[in-house]
Amino acid sequence: MSAAERAPDAAEHVPDARAADEPYDLVVRSRRAVTPEGERPLAVAVRAGRIAALRPYDEPPPARETVGLGDLALLPGLVDTHVHVNEPGRTHWEGFASATRAAAAGGVTTIVDMPLNSLPPTVDVASLEVKRKAARGQCHVDVGFWGGAVPGNVADLRPLHEAGVFGVKCFLSPSGVDEFPALDRDGLRTALVELASFDGLLIAHAEDPAALTEPTGPTYPDFLRSRTPDAERRAVEQVIELAAETGARAHIVHVSAAACIEPLRQAQRDGVRISAETCPHYLCLTAEEVTGPAYKCCPPVREAANRDALWQALADGVLMGIVSDHSPSTPDLKVPDFAAAWGGVSSLQLGLPVVWTAALSRGYGLPDVVRWMARGPAALAGLPYKGDLRVGADADLVAFDPAAEFTVDVAALHHRNPVSPYDGRTLTGVVRTTWSRGVPVDYVTPTGRFLTPGR
């Protein structure tokens, strides 16, 4: 990688030690800066792309540029560890340029790209380099990469780890694309044994194929009955069992079913190295309101009571965070009905206002949203310099108006294709400015870097 494509190493993240009277590059002042300790008035000082000092709001230090936000909230840049960029191979679905512009517009300053649905999938070092080459010079935010665990590639898992992926993704049921087949139980165990040997991370799409059925008709109830909570729970229990047996680290992606919460809670209490996430669509949409295939995803959006249980699991810490599972496609693949349409929700640009709208109605605050959408995902991926407003962290900042409302116009989003279940929905919370390493994202000049664990 070139210098522009790597994150700074740990030695570059020491607190600033230059002369106290030397001006900072940037100071951003907000009466609602969201730190690990909660909201408070602050002047955040930036030097050389990182947060160099946190000063009282009314005592800002000298800087070459000072930005006053007043009552606008200042958030750390969000971290989205579940994004299907699809480039190369399916760039007409989404690509690095459009995806990272959408991320920045939504307050997301770091994404980690999934190993599918690109062609080739990222299942060995050669395909990882193909993907990095495709992304080079296109990224408006920082980008990392997941590898893939598929039948027959166990010998590639360590080389992928050494090449800088954040972990490897597997499916326990068909992925929807032939080039990324699922692991059976023996394959899952073999992968976990190998990952445990170098403390790698496995992230799993957990649905039990034996419990899935084909939809019996074209409607959403038909589709929902074909992918039951039991199918999800059984697969989660299998990952828990094998993670406990092997001592490996494992993570369940996009939990949709409340039936998974108690097995996860008990495993965490028992010391199993297991974590789990959920997504905006499972927290904010319900089966009762589904109107068309733009809502279709796997596992599916479930009923309102199920949604309430997911919120409680976030509050309890059983679920560590909220990530988008941005899985776009072209409009022609989202028709004609729920049996035939592609399963995936496009929401990368909208995750923050979608979650904030729902969180606000449930009595949660911005510190909760930051914990779930920035700090938690950063911790999962091993990104110690992301997801927080603190000295030494990267100066990834978001000016957020938590009271402003807007109506989603899907055609106006940076997503490559105008498909989203949120089209026409009124949301609360508007991103006004996003800074990546202390520089405002201008949506023209790509300044994002490639990330590896720990960087």
Side-chain angles (χ1 to χ4, degrees):
M1 294 184 193
S2 71
E5 294 168 336
R6 63 173 179 85
D9 61 29
E12 295 175 290
H13 284 80
V14 296
D16 189 82
R18 299 187 211 187
D21 59 351
E22 182 177 344
Y24 291 98
D25 299 329
L26 170 70
V27 168
V28 182
R29 301 173 67 215
S30 170
R31 293 188 181 92
R32 298 187 63 182
V34 181
T35 73
E37 294 75 37
E39 288 188 34
R40 56 190 176 119
L42 276 181
V44 178
V46 176
R47 182 174 279 144
R50 64 183 184 271
I51 298 173
L54 300 177
R55 299 289 179 81
Y57 177 82
D58 292 326
E59 300 174 18
R64 295 181 179 88
E65 180 185 6
T66 297
V67 176
L69 301 183
D71 291 327
L72 294 185
L74 181 64
L75 314 181
L78 306 187
V79 177
D80 192 337
T81 53
H82 196 143
V83 180
H84 294 269
V85 176
N86 304 328
E87 186 174 7
R90 292 190 174 96
T91 313
H92 54 298
W93 292 15
E94 193 72 275
F96 284 100
S98 56
T100 56
R101 281 195 297 265
V108 177
T109 54
T110 300
I111 66 169
V112 187
D113 172 63
M114 284 290 164
L116 73 164
N117 302 299
S118 56
L119 294 170
T122 313
V123 295
D124 53 32
V125 173
S127 57
L128 174 64
E129 291 308 313
V130 169
K131 181 165 285 190
R132 282 176 170 156
K133 182 178 179 181
R136 191 166 293 130
Q138 294 202 73
C139 301
H140 296 267
V141 300
D142 289 351
V143 175
F145 303 93
W146 296 109
V150 296
N153 85 324
V154 68
D156 294 298
L157 301 186
R158 185 184 289 268
L160 278 166
H161 174 80
E162 293 172 347
V165 301
F166 286 83
V168 293
K169 166 80 172 287
C170 76
F171 277 72
L172 304 185
S173 58
S175 71
V177 291
D178 292 341
E179 67 273 5
F180 201 94
L183 295 180
D184 60 17
R185 183 183 179 88
D186 287 342
L188 177 61
R189 179 187 286 107
T190 299
L192 286 169
V193 168
E194 176 66 7
L195 291 166
S197 72
F198 53 85
D199 201 32
L201 173 65
L202 179 124
I203 64 174
H205 178 122
E207 290 181 287
D208 183 348
L212 301 178
T213 61
E214 289 297 319
T216 57
T219 70
Y220 192 68
D222 295 323
F223 174 67
L224 196 58
R225 284 190 293 269
S226 74
R227 306 186 90 99
T228 65
D230 184 60
E232 205 172 337
R233 178 188 57 77
R234 286 168 55 173
V236 166
E237 289 175 341
Q238 180 179 129
V239 176
I240 290 170
E241 178 188 347
L242 294 178
E245 175 187 317
T246 61
R249 292 190 295 143
H251 176 79
I252 307 298
V253 299
H254 52 48
V255 171
S256 83
C260 300
I261 301 305
E262 284 311 311
L264 286 165
R265 189 192 310 274
Q266 189 58 55
Q268 291 165 0
R269 287 173 176 167
D270 292 343
V272 180
R273 303 172 77 194
I274 186 84
S275 58
E277 69 192 35
T278 192
C279 305
H281 38 284
Y282 302 130
L283 295 166
C284 307
L285 304 176
T286 65
E288 293 89 341
E289 68 187 280
V290 168
T291 58
Y295 288 77
K296 182 181 176 181
C297 54
C298 300
V301 171
R302 304 190 189 275
E303 296 81 4
N306 180 93
R307 176 185 63 178
D308 294 343
L310 296 179
W311 278 102
Q312 188 60 52
L314 278 168
D316 294 344
V318 178
L319 300 177
M320 46 61 63
I322 305 169
V323 291
S324 69
D325 189 12
H326 178 67
S327 185
S329 70
T330 52
D332 61 293
L333 295 179
K334 295 297 280 186
V335 295
D337 56 42
F338 288 99
W342 171 260
V345 170
S346 297
S347 63
L348 181 55
Q349 186 171 335
L350 297 172
L352 176 56
V354 166
V355 171
W356 174 237
T357 301
L360 192 62
S361 71
R362 291 170 178 267
Y364 296 109
L366 287 173
D368 299 305
V369 172
V370 165
R371 183 171 72 254
W372 296 327
M373 302 189 77
R375 192 175 309 122
L380 170 72
L383 290 169
Y385 310 116
K386 301 293 187 182
D388 267 330
L389 296 185
R390 56 174 175 77
V391 172
D394 288 338
D396 298 340
L397 310 172
V398 177
F400 182 64
D401 188 338
E405 292 187 343
F406 71 103
T407 300
V408 177
D409 175 3
V410 71
L413 301 177
H414 288 279
H415 301 164
R416 175 150 294 177
N417 290 289
V419 180
S420 174
Y422 303 108
D423 191 31
R425 187 177 292 249
T426 297
L427 300 175
T428 301
V430 174
V431 172
R432 299 298 187 190
T433 305
T434 299
W435 291 265
S436 176
R437 300 177 188 272
V439 178
V441 176
D442 65 6
Y443 305 94
V444 175
T445 309
T447 60
R449 301 185 185 185
F450 292 169
L451 302 177
T452 55
R455 301 294 179 90

